[in-house]
Amino acid sequence: MSDGGRLGLAVEKFEPDFIVGTHPVYGTCRVPRAQVYLLRTQPPDESPAMKTLGDWKLVLAPEPVIPGAEGAADPSTGQEAKAFKLPMLGGGDEFELSKHKGKVVVLDFWATWCGPCIKSLPGLIESLGSLPSDKVLLLGVNQGEPAEQVKRFIETRNWNLKVALDSSQSVGRLYGVSGIPHTVVVGPDGKVVLVKTGFSPENEKEIVETVKKLL
């Protein structure tokens, strides 16, 4: 498998100027000896990214919901928000959703590599940050990235954002996240009021207006 310039081959024979082996994708390969810098007798250690996928299982994809379609709504709307605990960026107490009943909680599932997330979050931070902090909480739920990487990203942009680390993306799966940004508005009663996926000015406006109506 190609991995940062590496080519994992099952070596079959050594020729004077080439090493011959089989690759699961490329088939039989003849690699010039001069270009070989490492031979291993064991498979390489699993990368952190692959470890986060260790407990993933293939499931049938749900029928797509077209944003803005007449009558289209996330099936979780009106249901009790799924309980979860996650460590917070910077340490301290874990975030536990059930402890925030009585507040409007906006969960924004995101990652630093996600362009639409980077477009959507500043607007939400500004709009929701102007509302009473004892009544509204915006929580960025980072998907599968190292804490130090997320910390540098937040600090570089001077985002005033509380971030929970969903390292294994288990909470993302619990909330049916299939694309990011994925924003879930949880009302003071602990029930899901609104779910939006993707970025658009209309989505941001609807999220903020929904939060204000819940106050």
Side-chain angles (χ1 to χ4, degrees), residues 146-170:
E148 189 55 39
Q149 177 179 329
V150 179
K151 183 173 182 288
R152 286 197 305 269
F153 185 91
I154 294 288
E155 289 177 347
T156 299
R157 286 159 179 78
N158 291 316
W159 284 1
N160 183 19
L161 178 66
K162 296 181 185 297
V163 177
L165 299 171
D166 187 13
S167 301
S168 65
Q169 301 179 54
S170 59

mmCIF file with all atom_site columns, all heavy atoms in Angstrom, residues 146-170:
data_model
loop_
_atom_site.group_PDB
_atom_site.id
_atom_site.type_symbol
_atom_site.label_atom_id
_atom_site.label_alt_id
_atom_site.label_comp_id
_atom_site.label_asym_id
_atom_site.label_entity_id
_atom_site.label_seq_id
_atom_site.pdbx_PDB_ins_code
_atom_site.Cartn_x
_atom_site.Cartn_y
_atom_site.Cartn_z
_atom_site.occupancy
_atom_site.B_iso_or_equiv
_atom_site.pdbx_formal_charge
_atom_site.auth_seq_id
_atom_site.auth_comp_id
_atom_site.auth_asym_id
_atom_site.auth_atom_id
_atom_site.pdbx_PDB_model_num
ATOM 1   N N   . PRO A 1 146 ? -5.918  14.906 16.785 1.00 0.00 ? 146 PRO A N   1
ATOM 2   C CA  . PRO A 1 146 ? -5.130  15.037 18.020 1.00 0.00 ? 146 PRO A CA  1
ATOM 3   C C   . PRO A 1 146 ? -5.373  16.373 18.696 1.00 0.00 ? 146 PRO A C   1
ATOM 4   O O   . PRO A 1 146 ? -5.547  17.404 18.037 1.00 0.00 ? 146 PRO A O   1
ATOM 5   C CB  . PRO A 1 146 ? -3.676  14.919 17.526 1.00 0.00 ? 146 PRO A CB  1
ATOM 6   C CG  . PRO A 1 146 ? -3.755  14.288 16.183 1.00 0.00 ? 146 PRO A CG  1
ATOM 7   C CD  . PRO A 1 146 ? -5.062  14.709 15.595 1.00 0.00 ? 146 PRO A CD  1
ATOM 8   N N   . ALA A 1 147 ? -5.346  16.364 20.028 1.00 0.00 ? 147 ALA A N   1
ATOM 9   C CA  . ALA A 1 147 ? -5.636  17.566 20.803 1.00 0.00 ? 147 ALA A CA  1
ATOM 10  C C   . ALA A 1 147 ? -4.702  18.718 20.450 1.00 0.00 ? 147 ALA A C   1
ATOM 11  O O   . ALA A 1 147 ? -5.139  19.869 20.312 1.00 0.00 ? 147 ALA A O   1
ATOM 12  C CB  . ALA A 1 147 ? -5.549  17.251 22.302 1.00 0.00 ? 147 ALA A CB  1
ATOM 13  N N   . GLU A 1 148 ? -3.394  18.439 20.298 1.00 0.00 ? 148 GLU A N   1
ATOM 14  C CA  . GLU A 1 148 ? -2.431  19.508 20.037 1.00 0.00 ? 148 GLU A CA  1
ATOM 15  C C   . GLU A 1 148 ? -2.709  20.180 18.692 1.00 0.00 ? 148 GLU A C   1
ATOM 16  O O   . GLU A 1 148 ? -2.585  21.403 18.548 1.00 0.00 ? 148 GLU A O   1
ATOM 17  C CB  . GLU A 1 148 ? -1.005  18.949 20.056 1.00 0.00 ? 148 GLU A CB  1
ATOM 18  C CG  . GLU A 1 148 ? 0.087   20.013 20.015 1.00 0.00 ? 148 GLU A CG  1
ATOM 19  C CD  . GLU A 1 148 ? -0.044  21.037 21.135 1.00 0.00 ? 148 GLU A CD  1
ATOM 20  O OE1 . GLU A 1 148 ? -0.394  20.661 22.276 1.00 0.00 ? 148 GLU A OE1 1
ATOM 21  O OE2 . GLU A 1 148 ? 0.190   22.226 20.856 1.00 0.00 ? 148 GLU A OE2 1
ATOM 22  N N   . GLN A 1 149 ? -3.101  19.384 17.706 1.00 0.00 ? 149 GLN A N   1
ATOM 23  C CA  . GLN A 1 149 ? -3.428  19.939 16.387 1.00 0.00 ? 149 GLN A CA  1
ATOM 24  C C   . GLN A 1 149 ? -4.643  20.859 16.470 1.00 0.00 ? 149 GLN A C   1
ATOM 25  O O   . GLN A 1 149 ? -4.654  21.951 15.899 1.00 0.00 ? 149 GLN A O   1
ATOM 26  C CB  . GLN A 1 149 ? -3.713  18.796 15.413 1.00 0.00 ? 149 GLN A CB  1
ATOM 27  C CG  . GLN A 1 149 ? -4.132  19.245 14.017 1.00 0.00 ? 149 GLN A CG  1
ATOM 28  C CD  . GLN A 1 149 ? -4.368  18.066 13.093 1.00 0.00 ? 149 GLN A CD  1
ATOM 29  O OE1 . GLN A 1 149 ? -3.738  17.022 13.223 1.00 0.00 ? 149 GLN A OE1 1
ATOM 30  N NE2 . GLN A 1 149 ? -5.285  18.218 12.159 1.00 0.00 ? 149 GLN A NE2 1
ATOM 31  N N   . VAL A 1 150 ? -5.654  20.426 17.200 1.00 0.00 ? 150 VAL A N   1
ATOM 32  C CA  . VAL A 1 150 ? -6.868  21.228 17.359 1.00 0.00 ? 150 VAL A CA  1
ATOM 33  C C   . VAL A 1 150 ? -6.558  22.507 18.133 1.00 0.00 ? 150 VAL A C   1
ATOM 34  O O   . VAL A 1 150 ? -7.024  23.592 17.777 1.00 0.00 ? 150 VAL A O   1
ATOM 35  C CB  . VAL A 1 150 ? -7.965  20.417 18.080 1.00 0.00 ? 150 VAL A CB  1
ATOM 36  C CG1 . VAL A 1 150 ? -9.224  21.274 18.278 1.00 0.00 ? 150 VAL A CG1 1
ATOM 37  C CG2 . VAL A 1 150 ? -8.306  19.156 17.297 1.00 0.00 ? 150 VAL A CG2 1
ATOM 38  N N   . LYS A 1 151 ? -5.750  22.386 19.167 1.00 0.00 ? 151 LYS A N   1
ATOM 39  C CA  . LYS A 1 151 ? -5.385  23.543 20.004 1.00 0.00 ? 151 LYS A CA  1
ATOM 40  C C   . LYS A 1 151 ? -4.674  24.610 19.173 1.00 0.00 ? 151 LYS A C   1
ATOM 41  O O   . LYS A 1 151 ? -4.998  25.804 19.262 1.00 0.00 ? 151 LYS A O   1
ATOM 42  C CB  . LYS A 1 151 ? -4.496  23.077 21.154 1.00 0.00 ? 151 LYS A CB  1
ATOM 43  C CG  . LYS A 1 151 ? -4.087  24.166 22.146 1.00 0.00 ? 151 LYS A CG  1
ATOM 44  C CD  . LYS A 1 151 ? -3.343  23.548 23.325 1.00 0.00 ? 151 LYS A CD  1
ATOM 45  C CE  . LYS A 1 151 ? -2.943  24.586 24.365 1.00 0.00 ? 151 LYS A CE  1
ATOM 46  N NZ  . LYS A 1 151 ? -1.856  25.448 23.879 1.00 0.00 ? 151 LYS A NZ  1
ATOM 47  N N   . ARG A 1 152 ? -3.694  24.188 18.366 1.00 0.00 ? 152 ARG A N   1
ATOM 48  C CA  . ARG A 1 152 ? -2.966  25.144 17.513 1.00 0.00 ? 152 ARG A CA  1
ATOM 49  C C   . ARG A 1 152 ? -3.917  25.831 16.541 1.00 0.00 ? 152 ARG A C   1
ATOM 50  O O   . ARG A 1 152 ? -3.835  27.036 16.306 1.00 0.00 ? 152 ARG A O   1
ATOM 51  C CB  . ARG A 1 152 ? -1.856  24.433 16.731 1.00 0.00 ? 152 ARG A CB  1
ATOM 52  C CG  . ARG A 1 152 ? -0.646  24.046 17.563 1.00 0.00 ? 152 ARG A CG  1
ATOM 53  C CD  . ARG A 1 152 ? 0.548   23.753 16.661 1.00 0.00 ? 152 ARG A CD  1
ATOM 54  N NE  . ARG A 1 152 ? 0.221   22.732 15.669 1.00 0.00 ? 152 ARG A NE  1
ATOM 55  C CZ  . ARG A 1 152 ? 0.395   21.434 15.846 1.00 0.00 ? 152 ARG A CZ  1
ATOM 56  N NH1 . ARG A 1 152 ? 0.895   20.977 16.982 1.00 0.00 ? 152 ARG A NH1 1
ATOM 57  N NH2 . ARG A 1 152 ? 0.093   20.569 14.886 1.00 0.00 ? 152 ARG A NH2 1
ATOM 58  N N   . PHE A 1 153 ? -4.820  25.056 15.981 1.00 0.00 ? 153 PHE A N   1
ATOM 59  C CA  . PHE A 1 153 ? -5.768  25.578 15.000 1.00 0.00 ? 153 PHE A CA  1
ATOM 60  C C   . PHE A 1 153 ? -6.662  26.649 15.624 1.00 0.00 ? 153 PHE A C   1
ATOM 61  O O   . PHE A 1 153 ? -6.855  27.731 15.061 1.00 0.00 ? 153 PHE A O   1
ATOM 62  C CB  . PHE A 1 153 ? -6.615  24.421 14.462 1.00 0.00 ? 153 PHE A CB  1
ATOM 63  C CG  . PHE A 1 153 ? -7.552  24.799 13.347 1.00 0.00 ? 153 PHE A CG  1
ATOM 64  C CD1 . PHE A 1 153 ? -7.140  24.710 12.029 1.00 0.00 ? 153 PHE A CD1 1
ATOM 65  C CD2 . PHE A 1 153 ? -8.844  25.228 13.610 1.00 0.00 ? 153 PHE A CD2 1
ATOM 66  C CE1 . PHE A 1 153 ? -7.992  25.058 10.991 1.00 0.00 ? 153 PHE A CE1 1
ATOM 67  C CE2 . PHE A 1 153 ? -9.708  25.575 12.592 1.00 0.00 ? 153 PHE A CE2 1
ATOM 68  C CZ  . PHE A 1 153 ? -9.287  25.490 11.273 1.00 0.00 ? 153 PHE A CZ  1
ATOM 69  N N   . ILE A 1 154 ? -7.204  26.354 16.808 1.00 0.00 ? 154 ILE A N   1
ATOM 70  C CA  . ILE A 1 154 ? -8.099  27.286 17.502 1.00 0.00 ? 154 ILE A CA  1
ATOM 71  C C   . ILE A 1 154 ? -7.346  28.563 17.888 1.00 0.00 ? 154 ILE A C   1
ATOM 72  O O   . ILE A 1 154 ? -7.846  29.683 17.704 1.00 0.00 ? 154 ILE A O   1
ATOM 73  C CB  . ILE A 1 154 ? -8.678  26.621 18.767 1.00 0.00 ? 154 ILE A CB  1
ATOM 74  C CG1 . ILE A 1 154 ? -9.592  25.439 18.408 1.00 0.00 ? 154 ILE A CG1 1
ATOM 75  C CG2 . ILE A 1 154 ? -9.431  27.638 19.623 1.00 0.00 ? 154 ILE A CG2 1
ATOM 76  C CD1 . ILE A 1 154 ? -10.895 25.808 17.814 1.00 0.00 ? 154 ILE A CD1 1
ATOM 77  N N   . GLU A 1 155 ? -6.144  28.397 18.418 1.00 0.00 ? 155 GLU A N   1
ATOM 78  C CA  . GLU A 1 155 ? -5.374  29.552 18.877 1.00 0.00 ? 155 GLU A CA  1
ATOM 79  C C   . GLU A 1 155 ? -4.954  30.437 17.705 1.00 0.00 ? 155 GLU A C   1
ATOM 80  O O   . GLU A 1 155 ? -4.960  31.675 17.823 1.00 0.00 ? 155 GLU A O   1
ATOM 81  C CB  . GLU A 1 155 ? -4.141  29.077 19.649 1.00 0.00 ? 155 GLU A CB  1
ATOM 82  C CG  . GLU A 1 155 ? -4.483  28.469 21.013 1.00 0.00 ? 155 GLU A CG  1
ATOM 83  C CD  . GLU A 1 155 ? -3.262  27.943 21.733 1.00 0.00 ? 155 GLU A CD  1
ATOM 84  O OE1 . GLU A 1 155 ? -2.188  27.811 21.080 1.00 0.00 ? 155 GLU A OE1 1
ATOM 85  O OE2 . GLU A 1 155 ? -3.374  27.637 22.939 1.00 0.00 ? 155 GLU A OE2 1
ATOM 86  N N   . THR A 1 156 ? -4.588  29.832 16.576 1.00 0.00 ? 156 THR A N   1
ATOM 87  C CA  . THR A 1 156 ? -4.173  30.606 15.406 1.00 0.00 ? 156 THR A CA  1
ATOM 88  C C   . THR A 1 156 ? -5.291  31.518 14.923 1.00 0.00 ? 156 THR A C   1
ATOM 89  O O   . THR A 1 156 ? -5.048  32.647 14.483 1.00 0.00 ? 156 THR A O   1
ATOM 90  C CB  . THR A 1 156 ? -3.744  29.655 14.268 1.00 0.00 ? 156 THR A CB  1
ATOM 91  O OG1 . THR A 1 156 ? -2.633  28.870 14.696 1.00 0.00 ? 156 THR A OG1 1
ATOM 92  C CG2 . THR A 1 156 ? -3.346  30.433 13.024 1.00 0.00 ? 156 THR A CG2 1
ATOM 93  N N   . ARG A 1 157 ? -6.516  31.037 15.043 1.00 0.00 ? 157 ARG A N   1
ATOM 94  C CA  . ARG A 1 157 ? -7.675  31.813 14.555 1.00 0.00 ? 157 ARG A CA  1
ATOM 95  C C   . ARG A 1 157 ? -8.355  32.624 15.648 1.00 0.00 ? 157 ARG A C   1
ATOM 96  O O   . ARG A 1 157 ? -9.336  33.316 15.378 1.00 0.00 ? 157 ARG A O   1
ATOM 97  C CB  . ARG A 1 157 ? -8.681  30.854 13.899 1.00 0.00 ? 157 ARG A CB  1
ATOM 98  C CG  . ARG A 1 157 ? -8.182  30.387 12.543 1.00 0.00 ? 157 ARG A CG  1
ATOM 99  C CD  . ARG A 1 157 ? -8.833  29.108 12.093 1.00 0.00 ? 157 ARG A CD  1
ATOM 100 N NE  . ARG A 1 157 ? -8.315  28.732 10.775 1.00 0.00 ? 157 ARG A NE  1
ATOM 101 C CZ  . ARG A 1 157 ? -7.121  28.168 10.587 1.00 0.00 ? 157 ARG A CZ  1
ATOM 102 N NH1 . ARG A 1 157 ? -6.335  27.930 11.632 1.00 0.00 ? 157 ARG A NH1 1
ATOM 103 N NH2 . ARG A 1 157 ? -6.714  27.856 9.378  1.00 0.00 ? 157 ARG A NH2 1
ATOM 104 N N   . ASN A 1 158 ? -7.858  32.514 16.880 1.00 0.00 ? 158 ASN A N   1
ATOM 105 C CA  . ASN A 1 158 ? -8.444  33.255 18.012 1.00 0.00 ? 158 ASN A CA  1
ATOM 106 C C   . ASN A 1 158 ? -9.932  32.974 18.169 1.00 0.00 ? 158 ASN A C   1
ATOM 107 O O   . ASN A 1 158 ? -10.727 33.882 18.453 1.00 0.00 ? 158 ASN A O   1
ATOM 108 C CB  . ASN A 1 158 ? -8.206  34.766 17.849 1.00 0.00 ? 158 ASN A CB  1
ATOM 109 C CG  . ASN A 1 158 ? -6.747  35.132 18.006 1.00 0.00 ? 158 ASN A CG  1
ATOM 110 O OD1 . ASN A 1 158 ? -6.067  34.646 18.905 1.00 0.00 ? 158 ASN A OD1 1
ATOM 111 N ND2 . ASN A 1 158 ? -6.263  35.978 17.110 1.00 0.00 ? 158 ASN A ND2 1
ATOM 112 N N   . TRP A 1 159 ? -10.311 31.715 17.972 1.00 0.00 ? 159 TRP A N   1
ATOM 113 C CA  . TRP A 1 159 ? -11.709 31.339 18.146 1.00 0.00 ? 159 TRP A CA  1
ATOM 114 C C   . TRP A 1 159 ? -12.016 31.163 19.628 1.00 0.00 ? 159 TRP A C   1
ATOM 115 O O   . TRP A 1 159 ? -11.293 30.451 20.348 1.00 0.00 ? 159 TRP A O   1
ATOM 116 C CB  . TRP A 1 159 ? -12.009 30.024 17.431 1.00 0.00 ? 159 TRP A CB  1
ATOM 117 C CG  . TRP A 1 159 ? -12.130 30.140 15.948 1.00 0.00 ? 159 TRP A CG  1
ATOM 118 C CD1 . TRP A 1 159 ? -11.988 31.263 15.189 1.00 0.00 ? 159 TRP A CD1 1
ATOM 119 C CD2 . TRP A 1 159 ? -12.416 29.073 15.034 1.00 0.00 ? 159 TRP A CD2 1
ATOM 120 N NE1 . TRP A 1 159 ? -12.162 30.961 13.865 1.00 0.00 ? 159 TRP A NE1 1
ATOM 121 C CE2 . TRP A 1 159 ? -12.427 29.637 13.739 1.00 0.00 ? 159 TRP A CE2 1
ATOM 122 C CE3 . TRP A 1 159 ? -12.643 27.711 15.190 1.00 0.00 ? 159 TRP A CE3 1
ATOM 123 C CZ2 . TRP A 1 159 ? -12.676 28.872 12.596 1.00 0.00 ? 159 TRP A CZ2 1
ATOM 124 C CZ3 . TRP A 1 159 ? -12.900 26.946 14.063 1.00 0.00 ? 159 TRP A CZ3 1
ATOM 125 C CH2 . TRP A 1 159 ? -12.911 27.529 12.779 1.00 0.00 ? 159 TRP A CH2 1
ATOM 126 N N   . ASN A 1 160 ? -13.062 31.812 20.096 1.00 0.00 ? 160 ASN A N   1
ATOM 127 C CA  . ASN A 1 160 ? -13.533 31.632 21.467 1.00 0.00 ? 160 ASN A CA  1
ATOM 128 C C   . ASN A 1 160 ? -14.557 30.493 21.446 1.00 0.00 ? 160 ASN A C   1
ATOM 129 O O   . ASN A 1 160 ? -15.765 30.727 21.404 1.00 0.00 ? 160 ASN A O   1
ATOM 130 C CB  . ASN A 1 160 ? -14.148 32.920 21.991 1.00 0.00 ? 160 ASN A CB  1
ATOM 131 C CG  . ASN A 1 160 ? -14.597 32.793 23.438 1.00 0.00 ? 160 ASN A CG  1
ATOM 132 O OD1 . ASN A 1 160 ? -14.163 31.897 24.168 1.00 0.00 ? 160 ASN A OD1 1
ATOM 133 N ND2 . ASN A 1 160 ? -15.486 33.672 23.859 1.00 0.00 ? 160 ASN A ND2 1
ATOM 134 N N   . LEU A 1 161 ? -14.061 29.272 21.431 1.00 0.00 ? 161 LEU A N   1
ATOM 135 C CA  . LEU A 1 161 ? -14.912 28.098 21.229 1.00 0.00 ? 161 LEU A CA  1
ATOM 136 C C   . LEU A 1 161 ? -14.542 26.990 22.205 1.00 0.00 ? 161 LEU A C   1
ATOM 137 O O   . LEU A 1 161 ? -13.379 26.608 22.308 1.00 0.00 ? 161 LEU A O   1
ATOM 138 C CB  . LEU A 1 161 ? -14.743 27.580 19.791 1.00 0.00 ? 161 LEU A CB  1
ATOM 139 C CG  . LEU A 1 161 ? -15.522 26.320 19.414 1.00 0.00 ? 161 LEU A CG  1
ATOM 140 C CD1 . LEU A 1 161 ? -17.027 26.585 19.425 1.00 0.00 ? 161 LEU A CD1 1
ATOM 141 C CD2 . LEU A 1 161 ? -15.078 25.805 18.040 1.00 0.00 ? 161 LEU A CD2 1
ATOM 142 N N   . LYS A 1 162 ? -15.539 26.487 22.910 1.00 0.00 ? 162 LYS A N   1
ATOM 143 C CA  . LYS A 1 162 ? -15.337 25.308 23.745 1.00 0.00 ? 162 LYS A CA  1
ATOM 144 C C   . LYS A 1 162 ? -15.333 24.089 22.824 1.00 0.00 ? 162 LYS A C   1
ATOM 145 O O   . LYS A 1 162 ? -16.220 23.949 21.981 1.00 0.00 ? 162 LYS A O   1
ATOM 146 C CB  . LYS A 1 162 ? -16.452 25.174 24.786 1.00 0.00 ? 162 LYS A CB  1
ATOM 147 C CG  . LYS A 1 162 ? -16.496 26.306 25.801 1.00 0.00 ? 162 LYS A CG  1
ATOM 148 C CD  . LYS A 1 162 ? -17.617 26.083 26.801 1.00 0.00 ? 162 LYS A CD  1
ATOM 149 C CE  . LYS A 1 162 ? -17.753 27.263 27.755 1.00 0.00 ? 162 LYS A CE  1
ATOM 150 N NZ  . LYS A 1 162 ? -16.557 27.451 28.590 1.00 0.00 ? 162 LYS A NZ  1
ATOM 151 N N   . VAL A 1 163 ? -14.333 23.213 23.009 1.00 0.00 ? 163 VAL A N   1
ATOM 152 C CA  . VAL A 1 163 ? -14.177 22.065 22.113 1.00 0.00 ? 163 VAL A CA  1
ATOM 153 C C   . VAL A 1 163 ? -14.105 20.771 22.909 1.00 0.00 ? 163 VAL A C   1
ATOM 154 O O   . VAL A 1 163 ? -13.331 20.656 23.862 1.00 0.00 ? 163 VAL A O   1
ATOM 155 C CB  . VAL A 1 163 ? -12.905 22.200 21.241 1.00 0.00 ? 163 VAL A CB  1
ATOM 156 C CG1 . VAL A 1 163 ? -12.716 20.962 20.378 1.00 0.00 ? 163 VAL A CG1 1
ATOM 157 C CG2 . VAL A 1 163 ? -12.997 23.449 20.362 1.00 0.00 ? 163 VAL A CG2 1
ATOM 158 N N   . ALA A 1 164 ? -14.924 19.811 22.517 1.00 0.00 ? 164 ALA A N   1
ATOM 159 C CA  . ALA A 1 164 ? -14.842 18.458 23.052 1.00 0.00 ? 164 ALA A CA  1
ATOM 160 C C   . ALA A 1 164 ? -14.174 17.570 22.008 1.00 0.00 ? 164 ALA A C   1
ATOM 161 O O   . ALA A 1 164 ? -14.352 17.776 20.798 1.00 0.00 ? 164 ALA A O   1
ATOM 162 C CB  . ALA A 1 164 ? -16.242 17.922 23.371 1.00 0.00 ? 164 ALA A CB  1
ATOM 163 N N   . LEU A 1 165 ? -13.391 16.607 22.469 1.00 0.00 ? 165 LEU A N   1
ATOM 164 C CA  . LEU A 1 165 ? -12.600 15.771 21.563 1.00 0.00 ? 165 LEU A CA  1
ATOM 165 C C   . LEU A 1 165 ? -13.258 14.410 21.385 1.00 0.00 ? 165 LEU A C   1
ATOM 166 O O   . LEU A 1 165 ? -13.233 13.561 22.276 1.00 0.00 ? 165 LEU A O   1
ATOM 167 C CB  . LEU A 1 165 ? -11.187 15.616 22.115 1.00 0.00 ? 165 LEU A CB  1
ATOM 168 C CG  . LEU A 1 165 ? -10.398 16.923 22.267 1.00 0.00 ? 165 LEU A CG  1
ATOM 169 C CD1 . LEU A 1 165 ? -9.094  16.675 23.019 1.00 0.00 ? 165 LEU A CD1 1
ATOM 170 C CD2 . LEU A 1 165 ? -10.128 17.555 20.902 1.00 0.00 ? 165 LEU A CD2 1
ATOM 171 N N   . ASP A 1 166 ? -13.842 14.216 20.227 1.00 0.00 ? 166 ASP A N   1
ATOM 172 C CA  . ASP A 1 166 ? -14.473 12.938 19.866 1.00 0.00 ? 166 ASP A CA  1
ATOM 173 C C   . ASP A 1 166 ? -13.447 12.128 19.073 1.00 0.00 ? 166 ASP A C   1
ATOM 174 O O   . ASP A 1 166 ? -13.582 11.932 17.864 1.00 0.00 ? 166 ASP A O   1
ATOM 175 C CB  . ASP A 1 166 ? -15.741 13.210 19.052 1.00 0.00 ? 166 ASP A CB  1
ATOM 176 C CG  . ASP A 1 166 ? -16.564 11.965 18.783 1.00 0.00 ? 166 ASP A CG  1
ATOM 177 O OD1 . ASP A 1 166 ? -16.298 10.929 19.420 1.00 0.00 ? 166 ASP A OD1 1
ATOM 178 O OD2 . ASP A 1 166 ? -17.462 12.031 17.926 1.00 0.00 ? 166 ASP A OD2 1
ATOM 179 N N   . SER A 1 167 ? -12.405 11.669 19.774 1.00 0.00 ? 167 SER A N   1
ATOM 180 C CA  . SER A 1 167 ? -11.244 11.070 19.105 1.00 0.00 ? 167 SER A CA  1
ATOM 181 C C   . SER A 1 167 ? -11.601 9.839  18.280 1.00 0.00 ? 167 SER A C   1
ATOM 182 O O   . SER A 1 167 ? -11.052 9.624  17.198 1.00 0.00 ? 167 SER A O   1
ATOM 183 C CB  . SER A 1 167 ? -10.174 10.704 20.141 1.00 0.00 ? 167 SER A CB  1
ATOM 184 O OG  . SER A 1 167 ? -9.764  11.853 20.844 1.00 0.00 ? 167 SER A OG  1
ATOM 185 N N   . SER A 1 168 ? -12.493 9.012  18.771 1.00 0.00 ? 168 SER A N   1
ATOM 186 C CA  . SER A 1 168 ? -12.880 7.799  18.047 1.00 0.00 ? 168 SER A CA  1
ATOM 187 C C   . SER A 1 168 ? -14.105 8.021  17.161 1.00 0.00 ? 168 SER A C   1
ATOM 188 O O   . SER A 1 168 ? -14.564 7.110  16.494 1.00 0.00 ? 168 SER A O   1
ATOM 189 C CB  . SER A 1 168 ? -13.190 6.672  19.040 1.00 0.00 ? 168 SER A CB  1
ATOM 190 O OG  . SER A 1 168 ? -14.332 6.997  19.817 1.00 0.00 ? 168 SER A OG  1
ATOM 191 N N   . GLN A 1 169 ? -14.627 9.244  17.168 1.00 0.00 ? 169 GLN A N   1
ATOM 192 C CA  . GLN A 1 169 ? -15.821 9.620  16.407 1.00 0.00 ? 169 GLN A CA  1
ATOM 193 C C   . GLN A 1 169 ? -17.048 8.794  16.809 1.00 0.00 ? 169 GLN A C   1
ATOM 194 O O   . GLN A 1 169 ? -17.999 8.674  16.042 1.00 0.00 ? 169 GLN A O   1
ATOM 195 C CB  . GLN A 1 169 ? -15.557 9.503  14.899 1.00 0.00 ? 169 GLN A CB  1
ATOM 196 C CG  . GLN A 1 169 ? -14.403 10.388 14.440 1.00 0.00 ? 169 GLN A CG  1
ATOM 197 C CD  . GLN A 1 169 ? -14.108 10.265 12.973 1.00 0.00 ? 169 GLN A CD  1
ATOM 198 O OE1 . GLN A 1 169 ? -14.980 10.427 12.141 1.00 0.00 ? 169 GLN A OE1 1
ATOM 199 N NE2 . GLN A 1 169 ? -12.851 9.985  12.651 1.00 0.00 ? 169 GLN A NE2 1
ATOM 200 N N   . SER A 1 170 ? -17.028 8.274  18.014 1.00 0.00 ? 170 SER A N   1
ATOM 201 C CA  . SER A 1 170 ? -18.148 7.462  18.482 1.00 0.00 ? 170 SER A CA  1
ATOM 202 C C   . SER A 1 170 ? -19.401 8.306  18.703 1.00 0.00 ? 170 SER A C   1
ATOM 203 O O   . SER A 1 170 ? -20.526 7.870  18.427 1.00 0.00 ? 170 SER A O   1
ATOM 204 C CB  . SER A 1 170 ? -17.774 6.718  19.776 1.00 0.00 ? 170 SER A CB  1
ATOM 205 O OG  . SER A 1 170 ? -17.401 7.630  20.792 1.00 0.00 ? 170 SER A OG  1
#
